Amino acid sequence: MRFFRRRRAPAASLSLSSLLCLLSPLAAAEEAALATLSIEDLLRTEVTSVLKHTAELADTPAAVTVIRREDIRRLGATTLPDLMRVVPGLHVAQIDNNRWAVAARGFNGFFGSKLLVLVDGRSIYNAVYSGVFWDAFDLPLDNISRIEIIRGPGAALWGSNAVNGIINIVTRTAQETQGGLAELTVGNLQQHKTGLRWGSSSEEGPAWRVYGQSHNRSESLPVSGQPNPGDSSRADRLGFRADHNQGGTAWMLTGEAYQGRSGGAPNPTASTSNDIRGSHLLGRINHLVASGNSLQLQAYVDQSWRSEPASGSVLEQNVFDLDLQQTLDLSANYRVIWGGGHRNYRFFSQNTSKLAFIPAQSDRNVSNLFVQNEWQPLPNALTLTAGLRGESVPNAGWAWQPNLRAMWTGWSGHTLWAAAGHAVRAPNLYETRIDFNGSGILPGYRVLGNPAFQPEKIYSQELGWRAQLSPQLSSDLSLFSNRYRDLQTLEASSPTTLSYFNNGHGRTYGLEWALDWQASNRWQWRSGFSYYHEDLAFSAPPSQPGLISYIGSYPSRQLFLRALIDLDQQNKLDVTWRAVAALSNIRQTPGYGTLDLRWSRHLSKQADLAVIGRNLIGPRHYEIARQPFFQQTVVRPEVLLTLSLRF
């Protein structure tokens, strides 16, 4: 028996691995295969981010949602954040036409700092602001294999900043993207999005693909009484990936470069033009040493550049990362994964009188060591996992971040799990070195960084139950309780100056529930519900006016319901209803409900057509409170037409 693999009854339908082997390069055959996934097959989806090795979703001791290729195609989204609106426990809010706030289990905002985001294991979390510039990561969606979203701390394996969750975007291998693909999307907001891809391979050599993509988005609508946001954008990107597997050694090399204009006012009275560009190169080699044992080495370089015309500043970040990991199956019931790495951040700023970082140039080095032990004291019933990571964190020295997990699978079709963990969020340059003298935060105040700012800390407990209640029905329930210390606060340090302090603490708790039902061979329902509550307070009463950052910025309730309907072999209909509760009185953001539709048709074996409508019902609304530096805009209905050709 394979290590840690649970025995299951034979499936009545094809397994996911069998389906992938049967995939044809033709769009019709591909989508037909994806549509055959049963409830049991969905629970067998591979997950790698929780334990740093492959496991089935049903056997994962964490709160996990996987957005599969089927979902990516059928949701009708054109951006990564919009794909994740149907994940329990995740809040996605559009700020303007190019910017989103994405958070798990609280503390949402453009600079929301407690969610680590990876693409093929490469962190796209920005160390300057502790967030993700989603406008710079407009990945071709057909290149994505799956998106794994883990709620809860993951710092024992992935390091600091994996505080409330992890998003790992896993792209398809070059072997899976052979042949040609051309895609065109046009609409009233997404004016055009054009993609072209070609993949090939030789009998003995590696498989490879090259691709290009271009998009142009129109301007959104301002909140009543505000000027036009000027948030139209355009961007172009080119990339490649190569994969090779021979004997016991597999390697992968991928790279991409992009440039464009990302509009949107850093504040309502400023210029409305930003410039962005960047590139990365990542390589990974995995060698199978013996049965079940492997050694992996990964390295990448990443460069990003952003100009802010409103302040005249230019920000550039360069990252080099090296990571080593070894997996040892010491016995049939005991596995050890250990490794370490080093990351170097190099930061440059072109300072102005409005925005400056002191000093303008800096280096930050982060080293880490981790170990994780998995033990099955009761094979096929009880699994215990203990992990620990030591990491050099700015302003804190070495931070030790443990995680404990237990999973019970002794009852057929049911998984019970519990977890406890500790994680830290490392201070960023914005908190420690900024000198801002503009009007983006509070008129009349200057904002200065605090060099003594300490890491934010979380202590988390989780419980979960995942079950296949029948061949047609599955349930996934997670409960969590988090305690926070040294939370970021923004307080007046003088009558005209604001600064950042660690003067907040508190507790959050909630639940996340997903329920999937196969109503018939042609009709599947998927639903999700989230509940969230927070109690945050100042650790000591501030002597001057102050605010706990991101307090009240996460909705107490979220609900979605999806219907995936195969009308016949050529036509498919997807309906998604979403509802989000109002934010707190502090944020003054009303709740909303809306509806998305997608109809697709196979025109031929090589061609697909889709008509998509998003935000079709309900009034025009904004999804989050006004963010520092950015103008608030309203979300309005969107209509899209997409044509895909394979050759």
Side-chain angles (χ1 to χ4, degrees), residues 176-496:
E176 295 177 284
T177 54
Q178 299 293 284
L181 171 69
E183 289 189 313
L184 174 64
T185 298
V186 295
N188 60 326
L189 297 180
Q190 183 77 64
Q191 292 180 324
H192 83 79
K193 189 172 189 178
T194 307
L196 185 64
R197 186 184 71 211
W198 176 257
S200 185
S201 64
S202 60
E203 187 172 340
E204 300 294 334
W208 55 269
R209 69 167 173 260
V210 293
Y211 60 90
Q213 180 175 275
S214 176
H215 86 255
N216 194 324
R217 292 177 68 87
S218 64
E219 187 178 52
S220 60
L221 296 178
V223 173
S224 179
Q226 297 290 333
N228 290 335
D231 57 353
S232 60
S233 69
R234 55 172 176 75
D236 305 298
R237 67 184 59 238
L238 295 172
F240 75 93
R241 173 166 173 159
D243 292 88
H244 188 53
N245 192 341
Q246 186 173 20
T249 302
W251 61 262
M252 179 267 277
L253 183 67
T254 181
E256 188 179 77
Y258 66 88
Q259 65 177 6
R261 175 186 177 276
S262 182
N267 54 68
T269 61
S271 173
T272 58
S273 177
N274 295 337
D275 289 325
I276 59 173
R277 66 170 182 257
S279 60
H280 80 268
L281 182 68
L282 179 147
R284 181 190 305 139
I285 185 167
N286 190 298
H287 180 61
L288 188 65
V289 180
S291 179
N293 299 337
S294 65
L295 184 67
Q296 177 179 289
L297 179 67
Q298 175 179 288
Y300 67 81
V301 291
D302 190 298
Q303 184 270 340
S304 60
W305 180 94
R306 181 173 292 261
S307 172
E308 299 284 354
S311 63
S313 68
V314 174
L315 308 176
E316 181 177 349
Q317 177 180 270
N318 296 281
V319 181
F320 170 75
D321 183 274
L322 181 66
D323 182 80
L324 175 70
Q325 174 183 312
Q326 186 176 28
T327 301
L328 301 171
D329 287 351
L330 301 180
S331 71
N333 301 313
Y334 190 67
R335 168 183 284 159
V336 174
I337 300 176
W338 73 275
H342 180 79
R343 182 176 299 170
N344 171 260
Y345 295 95
R346 181 163 293 181
F347 172 73
F348 304 90
S349 171
Q350 180 178 306
N351 292 339
T352 68
S353 59
K354 288 186 177 181
L355 176 62
F357 288 86
I358 310 299
Q361 178 176 333
S362 61
D363 282 284
R364 175 183 293 185
N365 291 287
V366 178
S367 300
N368 71 82
L369 291 170
F370 76 89
V371 62
Q372 176 177 272
N373 296 272
E374 296 177 68
W375 177 42
Q376 280 193 337
L378 299 175
N380 294 316
L382 178 63
T383 303
L384 303 177
T385 305
L388 178 66
R389 187 184 188 98
E391 182 172 325
S392 57
V393 176
N395 295 357
W398 278 81
W400 298 97
Q401 303 174 86
N403 191 278
L404 299 173
R405 298 184 186 274
M407 179 174 66
W408 174 262
T409 55
W411 302 323
S412 179
H414 295 261
T415 298
L416 297 173
W417 61 269
H422 167 58
V424 303
R425 199 270 298 173
N428 59 48
L429 297 182
Y430 184 84
E431 294 160 322
T432 58
R433 300 183 179 182
I434 195 172
D435 184 348
F436 181 74
N437 199 24
S439 57
I441 295 183
L442 192 62
Y445 279 88
R446 182 181 184 183
V447 180
L448 294 178
N450 178 3
F453 190 87
Q454 297 292 305
E456 296 181 311
K457 303 173 181 67
I458 181 178
Y459 302 86
S460 175
Q461 296 82 40
E462 301 175 84
L463 291 173
W465 168 59
R466 189 177 292 115
Q468 184 175 348
L469 302 174
S470 75
Q472 292 79 35
L473 185 66
S474 70
S475 173
D476 192 345
L477 177 66
S478 303
L479 307 174
F480 69 91
S481 175
N482 296 332
R483 290 185 300 112
Y484 296 91
R485 288 175 47 197
D486 299 327
L487 287 174
Q488 181 197 90
T489 58
L490 183 64
E491 302 177 40
S493 55
S494 77
T496 59

Side-chain angles (χ1 to χ4, degrees), residues 549-604:
S549 298
Y550 309 112
I551 187 172
S553 62
Y554 199 90
S556 61
R557 297 175 305 280
Q558 297 184 86
L559 178 66
F560 73 85
L561 181 64
R562 293 183 62 201
L564 291 76
I565 307 167
D566 297 343
L567 300 173
D568 53 40
Q569 291 186 347
Q570 287 76 37
N571 296 277
K572 300 181 188 300
L573 178 65
D574 303 283
V575 184
T576 302
W577 175 77
R578 299 181 283 112
V580 178
L583 302 185
S584 72
N585 293 333
I586 297 175
R587 300 295 176 176
Q588 297 181 346
T589 302
Y592 68 91
T594 192
L595 186 75
D596 303 333
L597 293 174
R598 179 183 181 269
W599 168 78
S600 65
R601 178 176 176 81
H602 290 303
L603 301 178
S604 70

Side-chain angles (χ1 to χ4, degrees), residues 106-118:
F107 303 93
N108 201 12
F110 182 75
F111 300 127
S113 55
K114 298 173 181 61
L115 183 67
L116 182 65
V117 184
L118 310 165

Side-chain angles (χ1 to χ4, degrees), residues 63-80:
V64 185
T65 298
V66 180
I67 301 176
R68 309 161 186 88
R69 289 208 59 233
E70 174 198 26
D71 300 308
I72 294 171
R73 292 174 66 87
R74 301 190 68 158
L75 280 168
T78 59
T79 67
L80 284 171

Side-chain angles (χ1 to χ4, degrees), residues 5 16 24 31 66 78 148 212 278 311 385 413 422 443 492 524 541 592 646-647:
R5 182 53 61 103
L16 181 60
S24 161
E31 187 146 346
V66 180
T78 59
E148 301 176 5
S311 63
T385 305
H422 167 58
Q524 188 174 106
Y592 68 91
R646 297 181 182 272
F647 51 92

